[in-house]
Amino acid sequence: MSGYNGWRNWETWLTNLHHGDSLNEYYLELFREGNLTNPVEADDVKDYIESLIFEDVLPESGFITDLVNGAMSEVDWQEIADHVEDAIKYEMENA
């Protein structure tokens, strides 16, 4: 976990830097409403982030899309999911 600024790699760090706050707020809101009954899973985190990035920003195919897909394949989604879980645990302990 020490590849880049305490994260596994640059791609994971950058994804969390740009989308970590909205991701934490999304899951914290689910938790506060009682709609988060299972641990945060890596695939769910990936789907959430990809929906933010690919929905209106990127074309369906092409050079830029290929570059983004290549970078996204390097993201450690479980590390980000664990980070969200830590935020939820903090909320539970300090609510």
Side-chain angles (χ1 to χ4, degrees):
M1 186 169 139
S2 62
Y4 194 87
N5 286 337
W7 294 85
R8 180 177 167 264
N9 56 32
W10 180 79
E11 293 84 359
T12 304
W13 168 80
L14 188 66
T15 300
N16 189 70
L17 176 70
H18 286 280
H19 299 290
D21 289 343
S22 66
L23 187 63
N24 284 340
E25 283 303 314
Y26 171 74
Y27 279 102
L28 284 170
E29 189 64 29
L30 288 176
F31 168 73
R32 290 179 190 125
E33 293 174 351
N35 295 324
L36 185 64
T37 56
N38 296 316
V40 177
E41 295 189 16
D43 287 339
D44 295 333
V45 169
K46 180 181 180 190
D47 290 345
Y48 178 82
I49 299 297
E50 286 182 344
S51 74
L52 296 175
I53 294 171
F54 292 110
E55 198 165 275
D56 293 319
V57 178
L58 291 176
E60 289 185 32
S61 63
F63 178 69
I64 300 299
T65 302
D66 290 344
L67 285 174
V68 171
N69 282 327
M72 296 291 279
S73 71
E74 296 299 318
V75 173
D76 185 338
W77 298 108
Q78 186 59 55
E79 185 176 11
I80 295 175
D82 292 344
H83 187 72
V84 172
E85 279 289 315
D86 289 344
I88 292 168
K89 287 176 188 171
Y90 180 83
E91 174 84 4
M92 289 171 62
E93 293 168 359
N94 296 292

